[in-house]
Amino acid sequence: MRFETLPVAAAEGAIMAHAARADGRLYKKGRTLSPEDCAALVAGGVKHVTVVRLESGDVPEDVAAARIAETLLGENLRVAAAFTGRANLYAEEPGIVIVDAALIDEANLVDEAVTVATLPAHTLVAPGEMIVTVKIIPFAAPQEAVTRVCEILNGKGALRIAAFQPKRVALVATQLPTTKISVMDKTRTAVEARLAPLGGTLISESRVAHDAAAIGAEIQKADEADLIFVFGASAITDRHDVIPAGIEKAGGKVLHFGMPVDPGNLLLLGEWHGKPVIGLPGCARSPKLNGFDFVLQRLFADLPVTGRDLMRMGVGGLLKEIPIRGQLREAHPTSMRAPRIAGIVLAGGLSSRMGSNKLLASVGDQPLLRRTVENVLHSQAKPVIVVTGHDEARVREILAGLNVRFVHNSAYAEGLSTSLKAGVAAISSDADGALILLGDMPEVTPALMNKMIAAYSPDDGRAICLAVRQGQRGNPVLWGRQFFSEMQTASGDTGAKHLISTYDELVCEVEAEDDSVLCDIDTPEALTALRERMKLPA
């Protein structure tokens, strides 16, 4: 790479190393300067810019990040589009992170330009949670470094999610003459609360005397269970205590007693007919994280748990100061999970310049609108909301069978802004933002939509994501939730464009590979040109 400070006229095709502003528009770091950009900067009084030019042997940051991320794409993971030199991988299923630390270390030692950051091994994760981020530090990475990192990681199983599997659980709870019924009930409730997020089912509960023979007899009845838990009225104090003796009475084995996790020290690991038998520590009645959770999560992910595994849990095993949290983390920051972006397709206009409803026009074997909506459905935008207005019945008819939600805009004749407001008002409260698309843009690809979703990051100043082509802004536009209330003030046919200039510092431009983001179909001639581009008959 070569850093230079150049006259603007000489900087075409270079990458902005520092932001510049001209005529109220911000040209951000990382932008590749087009001829139109250079002309606008000169017209705005900017004389020089600091830029980067890539040289032979440099791999552009997004290409490098995406290539490395693909090598990490293990079981139950998905990779998001790369943006600003970063490619994230997210969990597809609830489970436990399995990571080969030695391989990740080896990859990170190749070159300072390439970094791979993961969650700790055996971290509990929910669907949509970020597991790893690949970040290219400068604007490009050396080809040799990218190749070497890919060689280290590719096909080696460096990262995966061990997904939770449904399990049937039998609970044997012992009681003494002084044990209260409320304590026994609390025990059952605590166990069920831990099982539910993991996909477990409590199929039986036995309450017996705190006696080895009674415990052994109940264990022998647990043929249909995958896991057996024994919760004693009195804590286990030795591997020859009542509960381990009960496991042996049933014909089982005591494999290990104790673990270097606090709370949770007094956990017992046993086995009966190949089924794990766990003697629970008293802290398992509490919702707080404890050593039993570590064991339970691994068992539900079909990971082996041996005495040696227990003895290796000491690093990170001091849990007394960790605050209460759910079994599956549902309330984590937006930056640590995939953004939840709804898709809104505006399909309620009058098509006044076309003379008929353009959205119903055939493009090949499908109506134009259906092609657009199907593209959105193949993106990561969920759910997909279609705003109807003019020709509502026909629009619903041509979209029959698609997994979309319809919202009707009765004020459609008053302009596009009314459909925009109707769509935004229908978004659920758990959405982080909305990708707004015009119904007459069937060439906008799911890949571009996914790239826009990957670009969205309010924490990094990217709360409005615009599709652009060589400096010219088009559609779709992704809006963060923070703008929804102001979007309700829009009027006429301009939508929420006024907010783009108001919040220019929060705008992120996402480059499209072709002119599709600039081509809406407003005239019969535009429709004919679309069919020709797509090589489809009327």
Side-chain angles (χ1 to χ4, degrees):
M1 287 181 294
R2 189 171 72 250
F3 280 77
E4 302 174 297
T5 298
L6 298 173
V8 173
E12 180 183 330
I15 301 168
M16 296 279 287
H18 303 294
R21 187 179 291 275
D23 288 337
R25 183 168 176 178
L26 183 64
Y27 295 79
K28 292 187 175 182
K29 168 187 172 183
R31 182 189 186 95
T32 300
L33 291 171
S34 66
E36 294 79 6
D37 291 338
C38 292
L41 287 166
V42 170
V46 178
K47 296 181 179 180
H48 293 83
V49 287
T50 301
V51 297
V52 175
R53 288 194 185 275
L54 302 190
E55 299 177 296
S56 176
D58 288 334
V59 181
E61 57 180 354
D62 285 350
V63 175
R67 193 177 300 170
I68 293 168
E70 285 292 336
T71 68
L72 286 165
L73 191 55
E75 185 181 3
N76 298 313
L77 290 170
R78 72 168 178 84
V79 62
F83 196 76
T84 62
R86 183 185 302 279
N88 299 327
L89 282 87
Y90 298 94
E92 288 275 73
E93 299 287 342
I96 295 177
V97 177
I98 305 300
V99 57
D100 188 325
L103 282 177
I104 300 300
D105 286 347
E106 188 178 354
N108 279 321
L109 288 168
V110 170
D111 191 283
E112 64 182 18
V114 178
T115 67
V116 181
T118 78
L119 290 179
H122 298 111
T123 298
L124 176 68
V125 294
E129 190 164 354
M130 188 190 302
I131 306 304
V132 61
T133 184
V134 177
K135 181 70 173 80
I136 306 303
I137 300 298
F139 293 102
Q143 173 68 58
E144 290 183 0
V146 174
T147 300
R148 178 59 187 142
V149 170
C150 289
E151 288 173 350
I152 291 168
L153 298 175
N154 194 33
K156 305 291 179 58
L159 191 74
R160 67 184 178 94
I161 302 298
F164 295 133
Q165 304 300 319
K167 303 287 183 188
R168 298 163 298 176
V169 176
L171 173 63
V172 179
T174 73
Q175 53 189 340
L176 297 169
T178 57
T179 305
K180 295 180 179 179
I181 296 298
S182 60
V183 172
M184 304 296 287
D185 293 342
K186 182 179 180 181
T187 299
R188 178 188 177 114
T189 300
V191 169
E192 289 181 319
R194 277 186 159 82
L195 295 180
L198 306 179
T201 304
L202 187 63
I203 62 170
S204 68
E205 179 199 13
S206 304
R207 298 182 178 184
V208 300
H210 191 67
D211 174 80
I215 293 170
E218 291 304 320
I219 290 175
Q220 290 177 325
K221 298 176 183 177
D223 281 328
E224 296 184 2
D226 302 304
L227 305 172
I228 302 168
F229 299 160
V230 184
F231 209 133
S234 179
I236 305 170
T237 59
D238 184 85
R239 65 183 294 128
H240 302 293
D241 204 345
V242 172
I243 289 175
I247 295 172
E248 292 177 340
K249 285 276 189 182
K253 297 179 182 178
V254 175
L255 303 178
H256 191 86
F257 175 55
M259 63 189 305
V261 180
D262 192 8
N265 294 138
L266 302 181
L267 181 138
L268 180 107
L269 177 65
E271 180 185 71
W272 178 74
H273 290 187
K275 304 174 189 286
V277 181
I278 309 298
L280 276 59
C283 60
R285 285 195 181 94
S286 167
K288 291 184 179 181
L289 186 69
N290 62 72
F292 174 49
D293 291 305
F294 287 7
V295 174
L296 187 64
Q297 292 158 14
R298 294 195 191 194
L299 290 174
F300 268 81
D302 283 340
L303 298 174
V305 180
T306 65
R308 186 171 179 81
D309 292 322
L310 295 182
M311 296 168 79
R312 293 171 63 90
M313 293 182 181
V315 176
L318 181 58
L319 306 177
K320 284 193 172 181
E321 300 305 317
I322 293 179
I324 295 173
R325 70 177 185 185
Q327 289 296 303
L328 288 179
R329 290 180 285 174
E330 298 175 348
H332 39 269
T334 305
S335 60
M336 285 303 295
R337 60 165 169 76
R340 299 178 182 129
I341 304 299
I344 299 178
V345 181
L346 305 183
L350 289 165
S351 304
S352 55
R353 283 187 284 174
M354 284 287 292
S356 61
N357 193 338
K358 58 187 176 182
L359 302 181
L360 308 178
S362 294
V363 180
D365 59 351
Q366 287 187 315
L368 185 153
L369 175 62
R370 188 175 179 102
R371 287 185 176 274
T372 301
V373 173
E374 286 189 349
N375 280 343
V376 185
L377 287 168
H378 283 98
S379 78
Q380 292 164 6
K382 299 288 182 293
V384 176
I385 298 169
V386 177
V387 182
T388 63
H390 180 53
D391 280 338
E392 178 190 9
R394 292 287 309 283
V395 167
R396 284 177 173 265
E397 180 183 345
I398 66 169
L399 298 181
L402 298 183
N403 183 24
V404 300
R405 176 185 170 194
F406 292 100
V407 173
H408 184 63
N409 169 30
S410 59
Y412 63 87
E414 297 176 21
L416 176 145
S417 62
T418 59
S419 289
L420 174 66
K421 290 188 285 188
V424 170
I427 296 174
S428 63
S429 60
D430 65 348
D432 300 311
L435 188 65
I436 312 294
L437 299 101
L438 305 180
D440 62 347
M441 301 185 76
E443 296 173 286
V444 176
T445 65
L448 176 62
M449 299 178 211
N450 291 344
K451 188 176 181 181
M452 295 179 71
I453 293 171
Y456 174 75
S457 179
D459 293 344
D460 297 315
R462 303 194 297 270
I464 304 172
C465 299
L466 302 177
V468 300
R469 175 62 173 167
Q470 296 180 342
Q472 188 173 352
R473 292 175 170 178
N475 284 290
V477 181
L478 193 162
W479 296 90
R481 170 170 286 281
Q482 68 198 79
F483 305 105
F484 287 0
S485 59
E486 289 185 80
M487 291 170 77
Q488 293 297 332
T489 66
S491 61
D493 267 326
T494 59
K497 287 183 179 178
H498 63 289
L499 296 179
I500 294 175
S501 56
T502 302
Y503 296 102
D504 190 54
E505 72 281 1
L506 299 179
V507 171
C508 166
E509 296 184 343
V510 179
E511 186 70 26
E513 294 184 356
D514 53 40
D515 293 339
S516 62
V517 299
L518 308 177
C519 301
D520 51 351
I521 312 303
D522 286 334
T523 64
E525 293 76 18
L527 180 59
T528 299
L530 169 68
R531 290 167 175 154
E532 291 174 353
R533 286 195 305 274
M534 299 184 73
K535 297 181 173 57
L536 294 170

